[in-house]
């Protein structure tokens, strides 16, 4: 079997497309919300499955559409087990049963990465296009190192460096040395966070892509930790101008407010009148900070997505690419949020479809799909208790 294409000649590059609409998804979304509320959350697994089926069924590549075969009941079992375990943990915390709570936390840290990868495996096994399903399997030890071991190690190292710098400067008794130490320590934490995020991203997508199959054909990719670290670092550094502007607005206003407070002798009525402009400036500074945080997140999303897709190949000959832009993603994000707020979030389905369509239309496949021989791998989801529990995490995001 080969990948179906439209027309006699295969285009050198083609993009995904989304055929759904905001109106079409609105009714699915509305019913999901109502039934989830009526059933006190018990309908949530079915709601998630119904939403994913709609988006998969309307995602198209060369005339072929995806399909999602998971059922709400299969996800419900794992989801319910996770909820029960969480309730047991909270009960132990409330009753100060520290030993059992600590044991549950340890087991969670030990097995959570494996549960996530098994949830991803179930998710991919239930995903199909052209009557061929995907598959995924990652080593449990590798999953634990990528998701917890390596990030925790880098985080601990960053905290140790920060602590050493702070203790050495505080011991001098010099205010100048203390401020310098705080600055250098903060930079060390920033760099450590960027390193942790970059290494995690490179290892996560390396583990995901290199253990992913489409039928019997394997995906492959090599990701540069240096590149991922730089993207993470640049995104964090971009927040500094917004923070500086927010501080430029708020600090003089705060100083003036303190002076006014001294002048009026702490009179609450007069202080409230004088504080009016301060609250306005504080709100403006907060909005600048939020906008900066959104911009930095979008920068990281766009740069990382375009880089990740450029490294991926299928069967050695099929390549992928992403052409989303910062300006367009920013425009879509801001206008989607504004429209949702104005409509009390009734426009959420339209916003989600709008963003999904843009992302898919800017996700490209290069190569001769007709020459790709496809056959199913014959794998089926495991049904042991641990894997049934892992299905509750089958909605952990795999791609972006």
């Amino acid at each position: 079997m080969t990948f179906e294409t439209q027309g006699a000649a295969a285009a050198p590059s083609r993009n995904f497309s989304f055929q759904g609409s905001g109106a079409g998804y609105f009714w699915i979304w509305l019913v999901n919300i109502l039934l989830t509320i009526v059933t006190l959350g018990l309908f949530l697994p079915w709601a998630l499955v119904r939403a994913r089926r709609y988006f998969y069924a309307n995602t198209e590549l060369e005339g072929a559409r995806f399909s999602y075969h998971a059922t709400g009941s299969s996800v419900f079992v794992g989801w319910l087990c996770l909820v029960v375990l969480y309730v047991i943990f909270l009960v132990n915390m409330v009753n100060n049963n520290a030993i059992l709570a600590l044991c549950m936390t340890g087991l969670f840290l030990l097995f959570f990465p494996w549960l996530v990868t098994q949830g991803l495996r179930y998710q991919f096994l239930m995903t199909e296009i052209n009557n061929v399903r995907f598959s995924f399997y990652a080593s449990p030890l590798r999953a634990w190192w990528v998701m917890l071991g390596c990030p925790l190690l880098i985080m601990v190292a960053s905290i140790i460096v920060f602590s050493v710098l702070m203790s050495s400067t505080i011991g001098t008794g010099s205010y100048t040395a203390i401020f310098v130490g705080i600055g250098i320590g903060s930079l060390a934490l920033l760099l450590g966070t960027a390193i942790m995020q970059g290494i995690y991203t490179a290892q996560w997508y390396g583990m995901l892509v290199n253990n992913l199959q489409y039928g019997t054909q394997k995906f492959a990719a090599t990701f540069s930790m240096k590149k991922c670290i730089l993207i993470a670092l640049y995104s964090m550094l971009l927040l500094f101008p917004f923070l500086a502007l927010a501080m430029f607005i708020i600090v003089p206003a705060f100083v003036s407010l303190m002076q006014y407070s001294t002048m009026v002798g702490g009179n609450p009525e007069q202080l409230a009148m004088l504080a009016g402009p301060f609250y306005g400036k504080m709100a403006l500074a907060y909005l600048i900070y939020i906008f900066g945080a959104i911009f930095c997140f979008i920068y990281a999303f766009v740069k990382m997505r375009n880089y990740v897709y450029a490294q991926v190949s299928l069967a050695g000959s099929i390549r992928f690419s992403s052409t989303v832009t910062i300006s367009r993603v920013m425009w879509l994000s801001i206008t989607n949020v504004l429209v949702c707020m104005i409509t009390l979030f009734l426009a959420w389905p339209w916003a989600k479809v709008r963003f999904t369509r843009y992302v898919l239309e800017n996700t490209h496949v290069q190569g001769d799909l007709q020459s790709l021989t496809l056959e199913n791998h014959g794998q089926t989801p495991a049904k042991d208790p641990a894997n049934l529990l892992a299905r509750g995490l089958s909605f952990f995001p795999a791609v972006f």
Side-chain angles (χ1 to χ4, degrees), residues 18 20-22 25 54-55 348-357:
F18 188 73
S21 65
Y25 179 53
Y54 178 81
F55 280 91
W348 167 252
W350 170 82
K352 186 172 182 179
V353 166
R354 183 184 181 217
F355 188 80
T356 300
R357 178 175 288 112

Side-chain angles (χ1 to χ4, degrees), residues 25-26 29 332-355:
Y25 179 53
F26 176 81
W29 172 80
L332 289 173
S333 300
I334 292 175
T335 52
N336 281 351
V337 169
L338 290 176
V339 172
C340 286
M341 292 175 64
I342 292 172
T343 61
L344 301 178
F345 281 88
L346 288 176
W348 167 252
W350 170 82
K352 186 172 182 179
V353 166
R354 183 184 181 217
F355 188 80

